[in-house]
C-alpha cells in the first residue's frame, strides 16, 4: 500500500529580504495571519508531524493541528553559520561558501552537508513508507527539508537541490513506497 506525504513549508519569519541561515525565529503576526488564511487548503490527515523549529511548531498551532515533533525532519544544520546572513558569510569566508555551494559533501560551517541532509530526510521518507499502511501524513517542515525530500524521491542528483524554490506555505505532495515515489504537481 502507498502512503501520501504532504510536505507543508512553514510560514515565514520576519528576517528581511536578504538570505540568511535560519536562527530559529518564531512566526510573526503577519505570518500567523497568512497561515490561518491558508488553513482551508491544507489537507486533513490522520497524522500531522512537525519539525522542531519554532516556526514549524507555530505553523501547526495556527493551523489548529495537534502535531508530533519529529527530529528526523529538522532543518538543515548550518553549524556556526546559523543566524548569519549569507552575504556576511560570503564576504568573510568566500572559499568556504564556494565549497559549500559546489560540493554536496562539504561542511565548512561544521554542521551538516547537503548529502547528509538528503540522506537524513530520504531515510525518514523511506521509513515512513516501508512497510506503510495506506494513509496520509502532513509534515510541516523548513524549505530545505522539502527540497531534500524531492531530491531523494525523484532520485535527482544532489546539486538539483539548488534549483528548487520553496515558498512559505507551499504544499508538496509525494506518494508511493520506499524507493519509489511520485511527485504530485498542482495540488
Amino acid at each position: 500500500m502507498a502512503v501520501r506525504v504532504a510536505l507543508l513549508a512553514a510560514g515565514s519569519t520576519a528576517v528581511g529580504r536578504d538570505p540568511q541561515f535560519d536562527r530559529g525565529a518564531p512566526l510573526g503576526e503577519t505570518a500567523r495571519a497568512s497561515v490561518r488564511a491558508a488553513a482551508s487548503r491544507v489537507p486533513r490527515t490522520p497524522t500531522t508531524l512537525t519539525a522542531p523549529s519554532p516556526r514549524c511548531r507555530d505553523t501547526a498551532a495556527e493551523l489548529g493541528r495537534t502535531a508530533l515533533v519529529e527530529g528526523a525532519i529538522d532543518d538543515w544544520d548550518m553549524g556556526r553559520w546559523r543566524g548569519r546572513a549569507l552575504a556576511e558569510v560570503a564576504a568573510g569566508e568566500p572559499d568556504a561558501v564556494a565549497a559549500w555551494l559546489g560540493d554536496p559533501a562539504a561542511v565548512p560551517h561544521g554542521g551538516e552537508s547537503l548529502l547528509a541532509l538528503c540522506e537524513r530526510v530520504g531515510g525518514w521518507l523511506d521509513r515512513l513508507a516501508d512497510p506503510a499502511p495506506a494513509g496520509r501524513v502532513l509534515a510541516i517542515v523548513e524549505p530545505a527539508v522539502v527540497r531534500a525530500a524531492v531530491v531523494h524521491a525523484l532520485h535527482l542528483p544532489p546539486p538539483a537541490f539548488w534549483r528548487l524554490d520553496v515558498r512559505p506555505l507551499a504544499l508538496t505532495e509525494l506518494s508511493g513506497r520506499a524507493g519509489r515515489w511520485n511527485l504530485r504537481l498542482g495540488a
Side-chain angles (χ1 to χ4, degrees):
M1 301 295 269
V3 64
R4 292 181 69 186
V5 181
L7 299 164
L8 180 68
S12 62
T13 59
V15 295
R17 294 185 183 265
D18 296 328
Q20 67 177 247
F21 300 103
D22 185 57
R23 66 182 194 285
L27 292 181
E29 284 310 309
T30 302
R32 289 176 186 277
S34 295
V35 172
R36 289 190 299 271
S40 65
R41 71 173 181 81
V42 178
R44 287 280 171 194
T45 59
T47 304
T48 300
L49 304 174
T50 183
S53 72
R55 78 178 187 158
C56 289
R57 291 191 325 263
D58 288 351
T59 299
E62 292 301 324
L63 290 172
R65 306 291 175 94
T66 300
L68 300 170
V69 175
E70 172 58 62
I73 55 175
D74 199 2
D75 197 11
W76 192 357
D77 180 358
M78 286 291 116
R80 62 186 172 77
W81 291 356
R82 184 172 188 250
R84 296 173 63 194
L86 177 58
E88 170 196 349
V89 174
E93 303 178 50
D95 293 339
V97 171
W100 175 67
L101 291 171
D103 178 2
V107 288
H109 45 65
E112 184 176 36
S113 71
L114 175 57
L115 286 178
L117 171 68
C118 291
E119 288 171 8
R120 172 170 54 86
V121 173
W124 168 77
L125 266 177
D126 289 344
R127 283 188 305 278
L128 190 64
D130 187 28
R136 295 178 59 128
V137 173
L138 172 65
I140 301 165
V141 297
E142 299 291 344
V145 173
V146 175
R147 294 159 68 190
V150 170
V151 166
H152 173 79
L154 299 181
H155 302 282
L156 299 174
F161 175 94
W162 300 113
R163 307 288 299 201
L164 302 171
D165 291 327
V166 179
R167 293 180 177 273
L169 302 177
L171 187 65
T172 302
E173 290 188 287
L174 299 171
S175 65
R177 300 169 183 75
R180 180 159 168 72
W181 290 96
N182 295 315
L183 174 64
R184 185 175 188 193
L185 300 173

